[in-house]
Amino acid sequence: QVQLQESGPGLVKPSETLSLTCTVSGGSISGYYWSWIRQSPGKGLEWIGYIYYSGSTNYNPSLASRVSMSVDTSKNQFSLRLSSVTAADTAVYYCTRDRRDGYNYVDYWGQGTLVTVSS
Amino acid sequence: DIVMTQSPLSLPVTLGEPASISCRSSQSLLYSNGHNYVDWYLQKPGQSPQLIIYLASNRASGVPDRFSGSGSGTDFTLKISRVEAEDVGVYYCMQPLETPWTFGQGTKVEIK
């Protein structure tokens, strides 16, 4: 059974960079698409972007200027960086595994990690 | 972006009774391969969302057959034939046709 676990600081100061890592266990990161999705009371569920195991990426245009993702296949991990954060970036951040082979759905979710942006 | 609009946003239901949630998209989710690209997810209290339905009408592995999805184009429906206590939570539709993938606002299902 594939499991995903988010890790990273729960508190980030305004204007700084949010950094999260997702560790995948029970399966290989190779061959799949991996996304970050966040959930806030104000905006509901928002897809941030995905990274393919090869390193190719696709970001939500609304966040693209501030987002970068990377993957480390040797550690079975992928990461999110979101720069210049504001209070509006406060949310629960989920890492997910996606199927994008014509079926297209999220089949595994991490438990989520709350990130609060505050000084 | 494709906008997904759900209704109702709150749905009190009686145990054993049917329930229905509507999801409308701002553009057609019917692709040239004949599939409608709508997924349904359930977020139970304190948990992450979980897949219930994909491609509008296909139940995910392990999902009880009391759940069914239907619709085509821009109008979709999730039905629960007989609501059980474990079905409470927030239901979301999502379109995985175009990036960015987008979600509906969610429908909170609770027991009367």
Side-chain angles (χ1 to χ4, degrees):
Chain A
Q1 176 78 341
V2 174
Q3 293 186 316
L4 291 78
Q5 179 67 58
E6 305 88 352
S7 59
L11 180 63
V12 181
K13 290 182 169 56
S15 80
E16 295 190 344
T17 296
L18 178 160
S19 295
L20 295 174
T21 296
C22 183
T23 301
V24 180
S25 59
S28 174
I29 205 166
S30 296
Y32 292 95
Y33 291 86
W34 305 90
S35 286
W36 290 93
I37 294 172
R38 67 182 183 180
Q39 184 172 33
S40 61
K43 294 197 73 176
L45 287 163
E46 182 178 30
W47 177 79
I48 299 170
Y50 73 67
I51 185 164
Y52 193 42
Y53 78 100
S54 63
S56 61
T57 57
N58 188 307
Y59 303 142
N60 190 323
S62 68
L63 298 167
S65 63
R66 299 193 291 130
V67 170
S68 66
M69 296 182 185
S70 59
V71 62
D72 186 335
T73 54
S74 67
K75 294 182 178 179
N76 241 28
Q77 293 178 333
F78 62 103
S79 298
L80 167 72
R81 288 174 60 86
L82 181 66
S83 64
S84 305
V85 297
T86 70
D89 295 309
T90 294
V92 174
Y93 286 75
Y94 295 98
C95 58
T96 71
R97 192 182 83 170
D98 304 346
R99 283 195 66 169
R100 291 176 180 262
D101 54 359
Y103 288 92
N104 295 19
Y105 53 75
V106 178
D107 58 358
Y108 291 99
W109 299 68
Q111 66 182 29
T113 187
L114 175 62
V115 178
T116 302
V117 178
S118 175
S119 55
Chain B
D1 298 0
I2 298 175
V3 177
M4 305 293 283
T5 303
Q6 290 181 232
S7 63
L9 299 185
S10 178
L11 184 58
V13 296
T14 301
L15 287 174
E17 292 297 304
S20 180
I21 301 170
S22 174
C23 178
R24 182 165 291 178
S25 57
S26 61
Q27 61 190 72
S28 178
L29 301 180
L30 176 61
Y31 191 54
S32 56
N33 60 9
H35 292 306
N36 282 281
Y37 281 82
V38 169
D39 304 331
W40 289 92
Y41 297 85
L42 165 59
Q43 186 171 30
K44 295 182 178 181
Q47 297 185 18
S48 307
Q50 60 187 84
L51 179 69
I52 300 176
I53 299 285
Y54 64 94
L55 293 179
S57 60
N58 295 271
R59 274 190 305 276
S61 176
V63 173
D65 61 7
R66 64 179 180 273
F67 289 92
S68 64
S70 63
S72 185
T74 61
D75 290 289
F76 301 91
T77 302
L78 175 70
K79 293 183 179 177
I80 310 173
S81 59
R82 296 174 305 280
V83 173
E84 297 190 5
E86 65 181 21
D87 301 335
V88 299
V90 182
Y91 290 79
Y92 296 94
C93 59
M94 187 196 84
Q95 67 78 20
L97 178 64
E98 297 180 355
T99 56
W101 288 2
T102 50
F103 294 84
Q105 318 96 300
T107 295
K108 186 174 184 178
V109 171
E110 54 189 4
I111 304 301
K112 284 182 183 175

